Amino acid sequence: MLRIFSPHVSKSGEGGSADANLLEVQLQNAIIQVEVGKFVSCSELLHLAVLHPRKLSVYSVSGTAGNVEHGSQYQLKLVYQHNLQRTACNMTYGTFGGVTGHHSLCIQSMDGMLMFFEQDSYSFGRFLPGFLLPGPLVYNPRTDSFLTVSSARQLESYKYETLAVATEAESRQDPDLPVKTGGKRLMPDWVFVLGEQALDLSVPSFSHSSSSIFILGERNLYCVRDNGQMRFMKKLEFNPSCFMPYSTVTDGTTSMLLGNHTNMLLVYQDVTLKWVAQLSFVPVAIRVANFLELKGLVVSLSSDGHLLCSYMGTDPTFFSMPKVDAREADYEQMDAEMKKLQKIIREATRTQDILPKADSETDLIVTAAVSSSMDNPSRALIQDINGLPVPSVSVQVKVKASCVVQSSKLTVGVQPPLAVTQDQFVLDPMGVGSSTVVAFSAFLNGRYPPADLTGDITVSYSSPTGVPRVLQSRFSLPLALVCAPSSPAKTTKFKITVDTNQPPVDLKSIFPACSAKSEDKDGNSLAFQFLSGASVTVLASKTSQRYRIQSDSFEDMWLVVKELVQRFDQHFSKVGVKDFKKSFSGPLPLQEYFLCVDHHFQLRVNAQQYQDLLSERAVQFRAIQRRLLTRFKDKTPAPLQNLDTLLDATYSQVMALAEAAEENQVLLGEAFVRLQSATHLLVLLLSLWQGLTSDQTVILEATLLPLLQDTPQLGWEESCDAAVSHLLRSCLSRSPKDQATSLAQAGGPVLGLPRDTTRLKKHITLLCDRIGKGGRLTLASEANVQVPVQVQSLAAPGGVEPIAEVAADEEELELLQEATKFIKKKQPHKKVKKDKDSREKMDMSEEPSEATVKEVAGGAEEPVKEESKKDPHKEARDPREEVKKDFKKESSFSKEKKEKEEKEASKEPWDKKVSMKSSAKVKEKKKEPEAGEG
């Protein structure tokens, strides 16, 4: 479709788009390009050249004036046309060869041939050298040359004279073949490397002094001279679509319009941005034109055929603000509004959420329902553990859609050693209001209890607009999945007492599932036998408001204590008791907790030693292989000198070490789960002991459990130590100055496996002590601390070093002194027996707690010794005796090395020389812990 428009100023209230269309003609073929010039011989009039894929047509446009306003008629007449032998890509025109009075045409084909036409006759054709894909083509009348951008991403210039005397195109089927007929080989006059594909070329001729060629690339705008020398280059920060140099405002500069794919029209003066305007579409062509009443119009065309005539500038506004009646300000109302806004600001700064809050209306609703009864038959992989059957419980998950949801997947995750029958589901596409139900069973898949009975459900899906989203939900598994009712035990190693402010409750009403198998008719005792072997007993006092949980395994009490506290809350909330409180009177079972820490740490040390020994044996194995390979390749056979025997022995050692490392890794996973249970129990006791809020409990839990699992690069000990040290130096510090100093520090030591757990134990003990003395855990206080002027200078780069143990002599001594005092409070004393008679008498009395203290004091060191004496290779078989010897040597060497390092580390803080006053203080402080220990 060929249309000709004549824009003019529209009258007020009338749309002038209808009469602006002068001519509209439907042509038979697609239109590639349109040009206007003197294309007809013996005529000075302008004609219209239309390029089709296989045809070039030249038309004349004539008009007949009418008697009325709309009586003018325009006609399009064909003058001549050329049928092309090759598919056309683009064309250009000009006075080729310096001929005046008429214009010639040059058409570039898709296969790289330039075809020249002079009016109604075909002149010649030439192939471009090294052609692959066509690029933009333009004629430079100043140098009588043609410019194009080749597939080598370079600007090439060919003179018309060079093209005229080059090899004839028709005589060459392949442009790379040698020349057979007369003529010169076509070569460009000059080449300018762009490095990117060009979108358009322009040779402006509005000024005689300007001799510039503009190239619009995909990412840059280039300007070169007629001889190929660069004038300037502008790097664009957007994707351009078209451009048009249009005038010269000052000498030596060129103004140009540039459109991009963000609907913007930019005006540049060389490389300087002068103006930016917003369009309603992405322009594909821009021109500047003058019409009868309109001067300097910007004509832009969109890809879908919208033609826009606009002008640069803005409409003047005649709106003026009306005068507001003066009125007195209500200061009380302003004060109330100010307080309301300040409250909103404080709440917003206090809760700084990293993730955006979810919308109230979600696309999916996920609900999980856990069956109240166990599966029959059980779907567990392990049928029985220690003679007890392993049950499984069914979980049904219902996913309901409130909109169209596609490509949704459901993933189920539970804590080890729990497992599910199927952990991934691919859901079918759901419509509005439809729902899908999936079911699976959960069961115990290991010989130790889990640290948590909650599971996570994650649903990933795509919204109707294609945005990926994730929805999460949680479900709780019953305690009966990992334990069974049993008879209460009278003598146990570890005991915990929980106090309440309400009368004692019948335990059968709290645990109705266990009451049927319980032997106690009064409901004062219950026992839970874990499938892994440990038994936990719950005792209720008859006269007082206390409950005791006791077991031979410290960490196994966690699930029972958690379930007991939760069921107490549910029971008293149903009854209607609002002031129900529960507490823990102490002392904190830190020594029992530290046994779990030492066991986990010893397994990590063993894993590191296995890794070192395995790497040594692997190096030895490869060295023997190289020796044997050299012997076998030798032409003259030589004796092996028992290298094959050594290879077999080394291989056996490598396999033994690998198996032992795998067994240790399994034990390390079990130890970490037990450590998680013990840590959860310690956090719960701390919160009950000091009445911590939910926010403070979350901070404490994140501090003592910073990792969900151990990795070879980062373990629990170093992560927990760093988190606890941060709390001791920030919100639990003694003075705001120390807190500001810790906030001013930048960086810190690289976390790695520590030498021992002494520092970690000391910091955890000090953390409990400061919480017990009234310290409150908060993260918002860090933002409120004002850093003193003398500390601000330390925050400069290189101004302060991370606080090391050796540098902080006085601080470490204070920490040690407080730690020893706190441990002395928790350790048994002779006064315990004297104070026993004066205490409140109850039928459960305080004997078990005193016995617990004695047992812990007497047997605290022995389990650690047994762990250190344990040889991780005792399970290795007879052919692997050498591995045992190496591992014993390695472990004994590491023990001696550790003892030396501990002695040196213990000497360092006190041997460091400081001023006389500080050294005297250090000596006094050093004597106090020794006296306490003695």
Side-chain angles (χ1 to χ4, degrees):
M1 184 69 71
L2 178 65
R3 296 183 178 91
I4 300 176
F5 295 92
S6 175
H8 59 271
V9 178
S10 61
K11 297 179 182 179
S12 60
E14 297 181 4
S17 59
D19 55 348
N21 191 355
L22 302 183
L23 183 64
E24 182 175 301
V25 179
Q26 177 72 49
L27 301 180
Q28 295 180 355
N29 300 311
I31 300 172
I32 298 176
Q33 193 173 345
V34 177
E35 296 291 350
V36 177
K38 300 176 182 180
F39 302 130
V40 178
S41 59
C42 305
S43 175
E44 293 292 329
L45 299 177
L46 297 176
H47 288 74
L48 193 64
V50 180
L51 180 63
H52 301 288
R54 286 279 184 167
K55 188 187 295 184
L56 172 65
S57 303
V58 176
Y59 298 93
S60 63
V61 182
S62 59
T64 303
N67 296 327
V68 293
E69 183 180 358
H70 298 289
S72 300
Q73 296 180 1
Y74 294 88
Q75 294 179 352
L76 189 70
K77 294 182 180 180
L78 178 65
V79 180
Y80 63 88
Q81 67 181 10
H82 293 286
N83 291 321
L84 307 177
Q85 300 298 323
R86 301 175 183 276
T87 304
C89 177
N90 51 22
M91 69 175 178
T92 185
Y93 74 97
T95 57
F96 302 163
V99 179
T100 59
H102 66 272
H103 292 151
S104 301
L105 287 165
C106 175
I107 301 175
Q108 180 181 205
S109 67
M110 295 295 291
D111 57 353
M113 181 179 177
L114 297 182
M115 297 172 284
F116 294 88
F117 296 89
E118 190 172 351
Q119 281 87 35
D120 53 354
S121 61
Y122 172 72
S123 299
F124 58 89
R126 299 290 183 265
F127 277 109
L128 295 176
F131 181 85
L132 183 61
L133 292 174
L137 179 70
V138 72
Y139 173 70
N140 187 359
R142 294 187 295 269
T143 58
D144 191 26
S145 59
F146 294 87
L147 301 167
T148 184
V149 178
S150 67
S151 298
R153 296 185 175 181
Q154 57 188 11
L155 178 65
E156 299 175 353
S157 174
Y158 299 93
K159 282 189 175 296
Y160 179 75
E161 182 182 358
T162 306
L163 292 167
V165 299
T167 307
E168 188 68 25
E170 283 77 5
S171 63
R172 298 179 57 195
Q173 297 299 327
D174 190 349
D176 294 331
L177 292 177
V179 180
K180 295 180 181 179
T181 61
K184 297 181 179 180
R185 184 177 178 84
L186 183 59
M187 296 293 292
D189 297 325
W190 53 264
V191 173
F192 178 77
V193 179
L194 298 176
E196 61 179 324
Q197 191 59 40
L199 301 179
D200 199 2
L201 296 175
S202 179
V203 182
S205 59
F206 41 75
S207 176
H208 297 287
S209 60
S210 64
S211 60
S212 300
I213 302 168
F214 291 90
I215 307 101
L216 179 64
E218 295 175 340
R219 291 173 294 275
N220 300 282
L221 176 67
Y222 304 89
C223 178
V224 299
R225 302 185 187 277
D226 289 340
N227 57 0
Q229 296 179 355
M230 178 185 281
R231 281 191 59 205
F232 62 82
M233 184 186 79
K234 170 69 175 177
K235 183 175 177 61
L236 304 177
E237 298 179 355
F238 46 80
N239 295 327
S241 60
C242 58
F243 84 129
M244 175 64 189
Y246 66 93
S247 67
T248 299
V249 180
T250 59
D251 292 337
T253 62
T254 303
S255 299
M256 70 189 81
L257 296 173
L258 199 150
N260 62 12
H261 284 274
T262 57
N263 303 354
M264 304 295 290
L265 182 65
L266 302 97
V267 182
Y268 282 94
Q269 185 173 350
D270 283 352
V271 296
T272 306
L273 182 63
K274 293 294 185 180
W275 189 265
V276 180
Q278 181 76 43
L279 296 177
S280 59
F281 52 81
V282 177
V284 296
I286 300 175
R287 294 292 183 271
V288 177
N290 295 326
F291 298 99
L292 296 177
E293 304 94 350
L294 304 172
K295 305 295 182 182
L297 275 186
V298 178
V299 183
S300 53
L301 180 67
S302 70
S303 59
D304 53 356
H306 285 80
L307 190 66
L308 177 66
C309 295
S310 55
Y311 59 91
M312 309 299 292
T314 55
D315 291 325
T317 176
F318 300 101
F319 176 76
S320 60
M321 289 291 296
K323 293 184 179 180
V324 181
D325 296 336
R327 55 186 177 184
E328 296 182 359
D330 189 355
Y331 292 104
E332 293 182 359
Q333 182 179 0
M334 293 171 62
D335 191 20
E337 185 179 1
M338 177 65 74
K339 291 180 179 179
K340 181 180 179 181
L341 293 176
Q342 287 178 349
K343 182 180 179 182
I344 295 174
I345 292 172
R346 281 196 303 269
E347 292 178 354
T349 54
R350 186 181 299 116
T351 59
Q352 297 176 353
D353 294 334
I354 299 176
L355 297 175
K357 294 183 178 179
D359 299 335
S360 57
E361 297 181 359
T362 57
D363 300 333
L364 289 178
I365 299 175
V366 181
T367 55
V370 182
S371 176
S372 59
S373 59
M374 298 296 153
D375 296 340
N376 188 16
S378 176
R379 304 180 64 184
L381 298 179
I382 304 175
Q383 291 300 320
D384 63 281
I385 300 177
N386 297 331
L388 295 175
V390 179
S392 65
V393 65
S394 298
V395 181
Q396 282 192 349
V397 181
K398 184 178 180 182
V399 181
K400 187 176 181 180
S402 59
C403 63
V404 179
V405 175
Q406 296 188 4
S407 63
S408 54
K409 296 180 181 179
L410 187 143
T411 306
V412 182
V414 290
Q415 297 291 329
L418 294 175
V420 292
T421 53
Q422 186 177 353
D423 59 349
Q424 290 186 355
F425 300 88
V426 178
L427 306 181
D428 297 331
M430 292 182 287
V432 179
S434 62
S435 60
T436 303
V437 178
V438 297
F440 57 89
S441 294
F443 52 87
L444 186 66
N445 198 28
R447 299 187 180 274
Y448 55 96
D452 197 355
L453 288 175
T454 59
D456 297 322
I457 298 174
T458 305
V459 181
S460 60
Y461 63 96
S462 297
S463 65
T465 57
V467 179
R469 292 185 178 177
V470 176
L471 190 65
Q472 290 183 334
S473 178
R474 307 196 78 179
F475 62 92
S476 298
L477 297 173
L479 184 64
L481 192 66
V482 295
C483 64
S486 67
S487 57
K490 296 182 180 180
T491 58
T492 55
K493 291 183 180 180
F494 308 103
K495 299 176 179 64
I496 292 174
T497 303
V498 178
D499 299 337
T500 61
N501 62 346
Q502 296 296 326
V505 183
D506 187 6
L507 293 179
K508 293 182 180 180
S509 62
I510 301 295
F511 294 93
C514 301
S515 60
K517 298 183 180 180
S518 177
E519 298 177 359
D520 186 16
K521 299 180 180 180
D522 299 334
N524 294 329
S525 64
L526 282 179
F528 303 90
Q529 177 68 42
F530 279 92
L531 302 180
S532 57
S535 177
V536 180
T537 304
V538 180
L539 300 175
S541 174
K542 296 180 180 179
T543 56
S544 63
Q545 304 163 355
R546 294 185 178 185
Y547 302 88
R548 174 173 298 161
I549 303 94
Q550 56 189 15
S551 174
D552 289 333
S553 177
F554 172 72
E555 59 273 7
D556 288 347
M557 291 190 292
W558 151 241
L559 291 177
V560 178
V561 175
K562 177 186 176 183
E563 190 76 15
L564 183 67
V565 170
Q566 288 180 352
R567 297 203 180 194
F568 276 161
D569 293 336
Q570 295 173 2
H571 172 75
F572 287 108
S573 62
K574 287 181 181 180
V575 175
V577 178
K578 296 183 179 180
D579 58 344
F580 171 68
K581 292 182 181 180
K582 49 194 177 300
S583 61
F584 174 72
S585 58
L588 289 176
L590 287 179
Q591 297 300 329
E592 296 90 329
Y593 176 66
F594 290 155
L595 293 179
C596 299
V597 174
D598 289 334
H599 178 56
H600 176 262
F601 179 74
Q602 185 61 39
L603 289 175
R604 285 190 64 195
V605 172
N606 292 349
Q608 185 65 36
Q609 292 177 356
Y610 281 131
Q611 188 72 23
D612 296 341
L613 283 174
L614 196 57
S615 61
E616 290 177 6
R617 293 297 178 268
V619 171
Q620 178 180 333
F621 188 71
R622 288 192 294 270
I624 298 171
Q625 280 183 324
R626 285 195 296 270
R627 292 283 186 89
L628 277 174
L629 190 61
T630 306
R631 296 286 177 90
F632 290 147
K633 284 185 177 181
D634 196 357
K635 294 181 179 180
T636 60
L640 297 179
Q641 296 179 350
N642 294 327
L643 283 176
D644 53 347
T645 307
L646 188 58
L647 184 69
D648 293 339
T650 308
Y651 176 76
S652 301
Q653 291 178 358
V654 170
M655 295 304 295
L657 281 172
E659 291 177 2
E662 288 182 354
E663 293 175 2
N664 188 80
Q665 191 65 31
V666 173
L667 294 176
L668 183 59
E670 178 182 348
F672 184 70
V673 173
R674 293 185 179 276
L675 180 61
Q676 279 184 309
S677 301
T679 307
H680 282 303
L681 181 57
L682 182 65
V683 171
L684 178 62
L685 295 181
L686 269 172
S687 61
L688 294 178
W689 181 39
Q690 289 298 319
L692 302 180
T693 61
S694 60
D695 295 338
Q696 294 174 349
T697 307
V698 169
I699 295 174
L700 184 60
E701 189 168 352
T703 303
L704 294 178
L705 276 177
L707 297 177
L708 294 178
Q709 60 183 4
D710 269 330
T711 59
Q713 294 80 16
L714 187 64
W716 177 84
E717 283 79 10
E718 53 266 29
S719 304
C720 181
D721 191 18
V724 172
S725 301
H726 175 71
L727 287 185
L728 292 177
R729 295 177 180 176
S730 56
C731 60
L732 294 179
S733 61
R734 288 190 163 186
S735 63
K737 182 179 178 181
D738 298 339
Q739 183 174 351
T741 306
S742 66
L743 292 176
Q745 294 177 2
V750 179
L751 297 182
L753 183 65
R755 294 192 300 267
D756 52 27
T757 57
T758 305
R759 174 189 171 94
L760 175 62
K761 295 177 186 177
K762 181 171 60 178
H763 284 172
I764 292 177
T765 305
L766 188 58
L767 173 74
C768 300
D769 186 24
R770 292 195 178 175
I771 292 177
K773 289 182 178 179
R776 284 295 170 259
L777 300 170
T778 176
L779 298 179
S781 62
E782 297 177 2
N784 302 327
V785 174
Q786 296 182 356
V787 181
V789 179
Q790 63 271 21
V791 178
Q792 290 180 0
S793 60
L794 300 177
V800 67
E801 293 289 335
I803 297 180
E805 290 191 54
V806 180
D809 295 341
E810 295 186 2
E811 182 183 355
E812 288 295 332
L813 284 172
E814 292 175 1
L815 298 183
L816 183 62
Q817 189 175 5
E818 292 181 5
T820 52
K821 289 180 180 178
F822 185 67
I823 291 174
K824 282 195 288 184
K825 292 179 183 178
K826 305 296 179 257
Q827 286 181 350
H829 201 271
K830 294 180 180 178
K831 292 182 180 180
V832 175
K833 296 181 179 178
K834 296 179 182 179
D835 297 339
K836 178 182 172 185
D837 300 333
S838 61
R839 287 184 184 176
E840 179 184 347
K841 291 187 178 180
M842 56 179 272
D843 96 356
M844 261 175 29
S845 75
E846 296 296 335
E847 274 185 353
S849 62
E850 184 182 342
T852 306
V853 174
K854 288 183 178 181
E855 289 173 6
V856 171
E861 299 296 329
E862 298 198 19
V864 182
K865 291 180 182 178
E866 290 176 3
E867 288 291 336
S868 61
K869 287 180 181 179
K870 263 190 180 180
D871 189 359
H873 260 312
K874 278 189 177 180
E875 298 180 4
R877 290 155 180 82
D878 293 334
R880 300 166 188 174
E881 291 296 330
E882 296 182 8
V883 180
K884 296 181 181 179
K885 297 177 182 178
D886 293 337
F887 188 76
K888 287 179 180 179
K889 292 178 182 179
E890 185 75 21
S891 58
S892 61
F893 175 73
S894 60
K895 286 179 184 176
E896 294 175 1
K897 186 177 178 181
K898 281 182 182 179
E899 290 176 359
K900 291 181 180 179
E901 289 176 351
E902 288 174 4
K903 290 179 181 179
E904 292 176 0
S906 60
K907 289 179 181 179
E908 281 179 358
W910 290 276
D911 293 345
K912 193 171 181 69
K913 292 185 178 181
V914 288
S915 62
M916 295 296 292
K917 294 180 180 179
S918 61
S919 62
K921 291 179 181 179
V922 168
K923 290 179 181 178
E924 292 176 3
K925 289 182 178 181
K926 182 179 178 183
K927 291 178 181 178
E928 291 178 5
E930 291 177 355
E933 291 172 3

